[in-house]
Amino acid sequence: MPKTFAEWQRILGVMALAQLALPGVASATEGALGRQITGTNVQPNAGIVSPEPIWAVNFSQIYLDGRIGGSREVPVGGRTSLGLEGQVAFTLATVLKTWDTGPGRWNFASSFTLPYIWTKVRSTVTGPGGRSVGNSDTASNLFDLYFSPIIAGYHFSETSHMALSLNIWAPTGKYNADNMANPSLNNWTFIPQVAYTKIFPESGFQLDTVAGVQFYTRNNATDYSNAPVFSLDVMGRKKFSNGVSAGLILGTQQQLGDDTGPTADRLNGFKGRDWAFGPIVTYDRKLADKRSLSLSLRWVPTVSSTNRLDSTRTFMGTATIVF
């Protein structure tokens, strides 16, 4: 076992997963889709920023198949739909760099994510004359870019850690207000976030939690402005000596106010919230030359939803290499 805090930090820097900067994507607000999928935001070791200068590369795949019942109207591209069914598949490539700031209690990192989306939307759209027409639309392309210019980690102790970050989505994807499916939300989104990790070495149990607030700018193409959304994901895992761990994730998204704009006003603000709960399995392995490999797979179905896509098929798989 390491005898000093600095020695322990060096070991942790090799083993820690650099997944704290991973974006969650989709679910809520305009089109019932937004920047985060409930239950996919928290990652293993979410509150730990490595005290050693490392690079980490992460590949993630997220799939969601959800719906909103036909008794509710949903804002879609400046119009409304009687219900909504959506399939979304995200492929995410993230690069994270931890900067050489020494073995002190504060450490800093930055990250960049290139996302690709495939999405299919089915809806019943109400036109200007009041007629309802069933329709579907599909899109696949690069999604909006995501980056975290600064991630600041603080080590309270060998077993207690916190990470503060500012995460930004830029509207770089293609967008057409006449389409139901788009590879962009056509707005900037700023997400201040705090993550915390607590390790219980005696029992092999670990607790990770991530909380943040999403602030959206107006979609100028539809004159629709999403209200801020609070998100919280909590994950508890039991780690075993063979590198495998298993646990559960509980997550929620809570809209803090009403959406605004002509369509949102007609829908009384379209305020939404949801809860998701499900299992996760991870595997960690040391490689040569201080490198490490981490894999994870989770299923986080919706257990309660209002004005957000209700999905029993929400899956996420990740692979991370630290070097």
Side-chain angles (χ1 to χ4, degrees), residues 2-34:
K3 297 180 180 180
T4 68
F5 182 67
E7 182 181 1
W8 172 85
Q9 279 188 306
R10 287 192 291 271
I11 294 175
L12 181 63
V14 176
M15 295 300 297
L17 298 182
Q19 295 182 340
L20 61 148
L22 282 180
V25 241
S27 244
T29 62
E30 185 178 17
L33 295 174

Side-chain angles (χ1 to χ4, degrees), residues 59-83:
F59 297 97
S60 300
Q61 184 69 43
I62 303 176
Y63 176 79
L64 176 146
D65 187 348
R67 65 180 59 197
I68 290 181
S71 61
R72 283 176 286 175
E73 287 188 282
V74 181
V76 181
R79 297 162 292 175
T80 60
S81 166
L82 294 174

Side-chain angles (χ1 to χ4, degrees), residues 39-300:
T40 66
N41 304 310
V42 65
Q43 305 296 330
N45 301 324
I48 302 174
V49 175
S50 169
E52 288 194 351
I54 63 168
W55 286 92
V57 178
N58 175 277
F59 297 97
S60 300
Q61 184 69 43
I62 303 176
Y63 176 79
L64 176 146
D65 187 348
R67 65 180 59 197
I68 290 181
S71 61
R72 283 176 286 175
E73 287 188 282
V74 181
V76 181
R79 297 162 292 175
T80 60
S81 166
L82 294 174
L84 189 74
E85 297 180 17
Q87 295 172 272
V88 183
F90 278 100
T91 303
L92 307 162
T94 298
V95 176
L96 179 142
K97 168 64 176 176
T98 297
W99 304 106
D100 188 0
T101 51
R105 291 186 178 272
W106 283 101
N107 298 108
F108 300 91
S110 303
S111 75
F112 176 83
T113 296
L114 183 67
Y116 188 91
I117 184 176
W118 173 89
T119 179
K120 183 176 182 179
V121 178
R122 294 177 295 274
S123 66
T124 302
V125 177
T126 303
R131 293 181 299 176
S132 297
V133 179
N135 202 356
S136 65
D137 193 14
T138 302
S140 59
N141 212 321
L142 290 175
F143 192 64
D144 296 337
L145 293 180
Y146 174 89
F147 56 97
S148 303
I150 184 65
I151 305 166
Y154 184 78
H155 309 286
F156 294 104
S157 69
E158 297 182 5
T159 59
S160 181
H161 314 269
M162 177 182 68
L164 306 172
S165 61
L166 174 64
N167 311 289
I168 301 172
W169 288 92
T172 57
K174 294 182 179 180
Y175 185 85
N176 186 333
D178 294 330
N179 296 340
M180 290 187 300
N182 275 294
S184 173
L185 296 191
N186 200 41
N187 59 43
W188 288 85
T189 310
F190 303 91
I191 309 175
Q193 185 171 277
V194 57
Y196 179 74
T197 293
K198 178 65 176 179
I199 302 169
F200 302 88
E202 298 81 6
S203 63
F205 184 79
Q206 181 168 319
L207 179 69
D208 294 284
T209 183
V210 176
V213 180
Q214 306 155 47
F215 295 96
Y216 296 83
T217 63
R218 182 176 296 273
N219 180 348
N220 293 323
T222 60
D223 197 22
Y224 196 103
S225 184
N226 302 319
V229 179
F230 170 77
S231 65
L232 174 68
D233 281 1
V234 179
M235 173 172 62
R237 293 182 298 140
K238 168 67 176 179
K239 304 173 72 174
F240 302 98
S241 58
N242 60 359
V244 174
S245 73
L248 294 170
I249 297 172
L250 175 66
T252 185
Q253 304 263 340
Q254 301 284 332
Q255 206 159 342
L256 301 180
D258 292 340
D259 294 345
T260 59
T263 304
D265 293 344
R266 188 157 62 83
L267 299 180
N268 297 316
F270 199 65
K271 187 175 181 179
R273 62 183 182 274
D274 68 0
W275 291 85
F277 180 74
I280 182 171
V281 178
T282 71
Y283 175 70
D284 301 328
R285 179 182 177 87
K286 290 183 181 179
L287 303 176
D289 301 325
K290 295 185 177 181
R291 292 175 295 169
S292 63
L293 170 68
S294 300
L295 307 172
S296 73
L297 181 65
R298 72 184 69 186
W299 171 48
V300 280

